[in-house]
């Protein structure tokens, strides 16, 4: 009797155990499926539960952008109301896990060897500096970059404001870099995020302005909110942002409003590498971590044919200096107050006469004035380099592109804003032999400011990467 009862109890316990096990398995499957759909759905879907009908995903906003464009509406007006719905929804806290992927020690060891090699090369004193601050250090660093540097590009968000950018206007630096990084035949991009040194967030602030900004609201909030959502996405979906606080991540934009858009995330603004044309040190640009991006105006996608092959160095340039441009900002106002229409040799125009064209006038001038406008950067700097017209930098707080390796004194003249009244005196005081050396510097440095398709060694694309490489070298995770 005791034995039989014991056997019945044993069989009953066994079946109860199987029932509990089945329940656990079913619950686990449901949990896995739920997590998978919440993480791997639309890249920009709100993390709010689907039952919250007040949320709007950025994927849905994209559809509105395209629909508005097809019927010639203002896309920003079509989606402005939905942006507020998306941002005002309450998102649950995503639990932080301790299972973050660690950076391979071999990457840090490789960077340590690169630093040592660069320091050794920097100590060589028998090299003439020329256009470089330290040519030995630069060439060794560039060599190490080509040998080691790997960039991971986040692939999320395949729609209009990501993975694309302008390539045929004043913001061409932005679009051409994104295009070359994602579609060019370069050896720097890696598909393995665990082998990357840095992580590229390929959103276009220029396209954000085009599709999200509501004129004339003067509100940049939609731009900052888009950036905030993007960073939130990659920080949830991937472990790399949280591992470094964004320090090994970079964004790139040539639009004037890019610094403000980057304020959408505090770590992006204060910690990440921001590659910006608007490199104003008085407005948060930090040259220790940020990169100054050259601004170049590509008319219809190409440099003006007149600037592609400047005349020989011995061809006379009849005019001392030249500038033409709108009255934008206090620097140009000062320039116009003293020099607009006042001198036949130092020619300053607000509006260029119809019988004159800008490239031709640059080619006929010894010095090309490059005053800041509303923001510090100007495409005239690169145009002057192409024209072998010595750039005269008239700017407050502008961090010159690639100035961590380039010696701008070897190919430009820098004049304080307070000295603009003495501008002609300053330029006339430049000795002829120094002027010829400045022109030699322009010919030598030109390759670093050229955008090629496909990209070539030492051109602008590679110099941008090299500046990012230097910031990564200075970072120890």
């Amino acid at each position: 009797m005791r034995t039989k009862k014991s056997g019945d109890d044993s069989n009953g316990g066994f079946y109860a155990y199987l029932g509990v096990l089945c329940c656990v398995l079913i619950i686990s499957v449901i949990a896995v499926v739920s997590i998978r759909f919440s993480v791997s759905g639309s890249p920009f879907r709100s993390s709010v539960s689907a039952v919250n009908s007040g949320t709007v995903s950025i994927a849905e906003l994209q559809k509105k952008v395209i629909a508005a464009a097809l019927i010639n509406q203002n896309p920003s007006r079509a989606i402005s109301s939905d942006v507020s719905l998306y941002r005002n929804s309450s998102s649950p806290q995503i639990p932080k896990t301790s299972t973050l992927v660690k950076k391979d020690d071999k990457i840090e060891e490789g960077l340590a060897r690169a630093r040592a090699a660069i320091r050794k090369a920097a100590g060589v004193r028998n090299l003439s500096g020329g256009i470089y601050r330290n040519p030995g250090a630069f060439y060794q660093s560039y060599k190490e970059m080509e040998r080691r540097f790997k960039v991971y590009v986040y692939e999320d968000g395949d729609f209009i404001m990501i993975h694309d950018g302008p390539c045929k206007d004043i913001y061409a630096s932005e679009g051409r870099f994104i295009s070359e990084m994602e579609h060019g035949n370069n050896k720097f991009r890696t598909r393995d995020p665990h082998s990357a040194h840095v992580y590229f967030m390929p959103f276009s602030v220029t396209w954000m302005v085009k599709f999200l900004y509501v004129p004339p609201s003067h509100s940049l909030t939609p731009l900052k909110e888009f950036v905030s959502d993007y960073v939130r996405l990659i920080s949830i979906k991937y472990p790399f942002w949280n591992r470094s606080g964004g320090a090994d991540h970079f964004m790139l934009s040539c639009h004037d409003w890019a610094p403000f858009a980057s304020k959408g995330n505090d770590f992006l603004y204060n910690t990440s590498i921001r590659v910006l044309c608007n490199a104003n040190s008085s407005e948060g640009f930090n040259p220790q971590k940020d990169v100054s991006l050259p601004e170049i105006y590509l008319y219809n996608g190409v440099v003006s044919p007149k600037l592609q092959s400047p005349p020989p160095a011995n061809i006379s340039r009849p005019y001392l200096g030249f500038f033409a441009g709108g009255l934008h900002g206090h620097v140009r106002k000062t320039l116009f107050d003293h020099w607009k229409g006042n001198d036949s040799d130092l020619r300053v125009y607000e509006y260029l006469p119809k019988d004159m064209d800008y490239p031709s006038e640059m080619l006929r001038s010894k010095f090309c004035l490059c005053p800041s406008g509303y923001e510090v950067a100007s495409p005239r700097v690169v145009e002057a380099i192409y024209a072998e017209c010595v750039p005269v930098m008239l700017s407050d707080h502008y961090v010159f592109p690639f100035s961590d390796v380039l010696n701008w004194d070897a190919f430009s003249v820098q004049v304080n804003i307070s000295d603009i009244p003495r501008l002609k005196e300053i330029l006339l005081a430049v000795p002829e032999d120094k002027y010829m050396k400045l022109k030699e510097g322009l010919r030598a440095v030109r390759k670093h400011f050229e955008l090629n398709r496909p990209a070539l060694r030492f051109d602008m694309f590679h110099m941008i990467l090299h500046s990012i490489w230097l910031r990564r070298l200075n970072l120890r995770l």
Side-chain angles (χ1 to χ4, degrees):
M1 294 290 295
R2 183 181 296 268
T3 302
K4 184 177 182 179
K5 184 177 181 179
S6 176
D8 291 340
D9 290 343
S10 175
N11 290 336
F14 175 73
Y15 289 121
Y17 173 77
L18 286 179
V20 172
L21 181 60
C22 289
C23 291
V24 171
L25 289 174
I26 292 172
I27 293 172
S28 299
V29 170
I30 293 173
V32 169
V33 171
S34 299
I35 293 173
R36 179 173 180 177
F37 275 96
S38 66
V39 173
S40 61
S42 175
F44 284 90
R45 184 163 297 154
S46 172
S47 60
V48 184
S49 173
V51 299
N52 186 345
S53 59
T55 65
V56 180
S57 72
I58 295 185
E60 293 169 329
L61 300 187
Q62 178 198 2
K63 295 178 182 178
K64 288 182 174 287
V65 170
I66 297 173
L70 290 176
I71 60 175
N72 296 319
Q73 290 183 353
N74 184 335
S76 60
R77 296 185 185 276
I79 66 175
S80 58
S81 60
D82 284 343
V83 170
S84 62
L85 283 175
Y86 176 72
R87 288 295 305 155
N88 291 335
S89 59
S90 57
S91 301
Q93 291 293 323
I94 304 299
K96 301 294 182 180
T97 65
S98 59
T99 58
L100 298 180
V101 180
K102 293 183 178 180
K103 181 74 89 170
D104 189 343
D105 289 340
K106 290 184 178 180
I107 291 180
E108 294 301 323
E109 291 173 2
L111 291 174
R113 287 193 291 270
R115 295 185 194 103
I118 296 169
R119 283 195 297 268
K120 182 178 179 180
V124 178
R125 301 296 182 184
N126 60 353
L127 294 174
S128 175
I131 63 171
Y132 303 111
R133 293 182 177 275
N134 187 309
F138 169 68
Y139 283 113
Q140 184 64 43
S141 177
Y142 192 94
K143 178 181 176 181
E144 296 291 338
M145 177 190 74
E146 289 187 314
R147 178 184 178 186
R148 305 177 188 276
F149 198 35
K150 296 300 178 184
V151 180
Y152 180 76
V153 182
Y154 286 110
E155 297 182 353
D156 305 84
D158 53 343
F159 59 93
I160 196 165
M161 284 170 284
I162 300 181
H163 310 291
D164 190 21
C167 295
K168 295 183 178 182
D169 62 13
I170 197 171
Y171 304 123
S173 300
E174 178 177 315
R176 290 287 290 271
F177 182 89
I178 294 173
S179 176
E180 182 64 34
M181 193 71 251
E182 295 218 45
H183 309 296
N185 186 24
N186 67 81
K187 60 184 180 182
F188 299 99
R189 183 178 182 181
T190 177
R191 302 285 179 173
D192 176 15
H194 301 285
S195 67
H197 297 89
V198 295
Y199 301 82
F200 179 37
M201 300 173 287
F203 54 75
S204 170
V205 175
T206 304
W207 284 167
M208 288 183 207
V209 174
K210 182 177 181 179
F211 293 112
L212 295 180
Y213 175 68
V214 182
S217 66
H218 305 292
S219 173
L220 305 186
T221 299
L223 279 63
K224 293 192 290 186
E225 290 173 344
F226 185 96
V227 171
S228 174
D229 293 334
Y230 182 91
V231 173
R232 185 165 64 94
L233 163 74
I234 64 171
S235 66
I236 292 173
K237 188 172 181 180
Y238 305 95
F240 310 106
W241 174 273
N242 296 318
R243 181 185 60 195
S244 67
D248 54 357
H249 286 58
F250 75 95
M251 61 162 283
L252 180 144
S253 178
C254 200
H255 198 279
D256 292 347
W257 293 349
F260 300 97
S262 68
K263 290 184 177 180
N265 182 275
D266 289 341
F267 284 99
L268 173 61
Y269 186 83
N270 295 304
T271 307
S272 299
I273 302 168
R274 299 179 305 154
V275 185
L276 306 171
C277 285
N278 192 1
N280 190 334
S281 62
S282 71
E283 296 180 355
F285 183 90
N286 179 2
Q288 299 299 316
K289 73 172 189 67
D290 297 328
V291 173
S292 180
L293 177 65
E295 187 170 299
I296 179 172
Y297 201 150
L298 294 183
Y299 305 85
N300 296 319
V302 297
V303 175
S304 168
K306 294 182 178 180
L307 299 181
Q308 292 179 8
S309 299
N314 59 355
I315 297 297
S316 174
R317 298 196 178 219
Y319 300 109
L320 177 65
F322 167 72
F323 172 76
L327 179 56
H328 302 156
H330 73 283
V331 177
R332 293 189 187 182
K333 183 179 185 307
T334 303
L335 179 65
F336 289 158
D337 287 346
H338 289 88
W339 296 106
K340 177 184 172 183
N342 291 341
D343 195 288
S344 60
D345 196 26
L346 184 60
R347 300 178 308 153
V348 175
Y349 303 89
E350 184 174 357
Y351 300 102
L352 195 64
K354 293 183 179 180
D355 60 342
M356 300 167 60
D357 70 90
Y358 212 100
S360 295
E361 297 308 311
M362 298 181 88
L363 293 169
R364 299 174 69 193
S365 304
K366 296 176 66 176
F367 297 93
C368 286
L369 311 184
C370 302
S372 293
Y374 289 127
E375 303 298 345
V376 292
S378 169
R380 291 172 179 83
V381 177
V382 175
E383 292 171 343
I385 292 173
Y386 288 173
E388 294 182 9
C389 178
V390 177
V392 180
M393 311 299 288
L394 299 169
S395 181
D396 286 328
H397 312 295
Y398 182 34
V399 179
F400 301 155
F402 315 138
S403 54
D404 40 10
V405 296
L406 295 182
N407 173 22
W408 278 73
D409 290 335
F411 55 90
S412 71
V413 174
Q414 300 164 41
V415 177
N416 294 328
I417 305 305
S418 59
D419 288 331
I420 286 180
R422 300 176 49 245
L423 186 56
K424 184 173 183 179
E425 174 189 347
I426 293 171
L427 297 182
L428 287 173
V430 177
E432 184 64 18
D433 60 339
K434 180 178 179 180
Y435 169 72
M436 296 306 296
K437 288 183 178 178
L438 290 171
K439 289 198 66 173
E440 291 176 7
L442 288 174
R443 286 191 291 274
V445 83
R446 175 180 174 130
K447 64 182 179 182
H448 296 318
F449 291 89
E450 292 179 335
L451 280 171
N452 300 298
R453 279 187 169 175
L456 302 175
R457 295 185 75 222
F458 297 107
D459 69 0
M460 186 188 293
F461 172 75
H462 288 88
M463 290 297 287
I464 295 168
L465 279 180
H466 182 259
S467 293
I468 299 168
W469 159 252
L470 290 180
R471 272 68 182 171
R472 181 61 181 87
L473 280 175
N474 289 334
L475 175 66
R476 289 175 170 81
L477 296 182

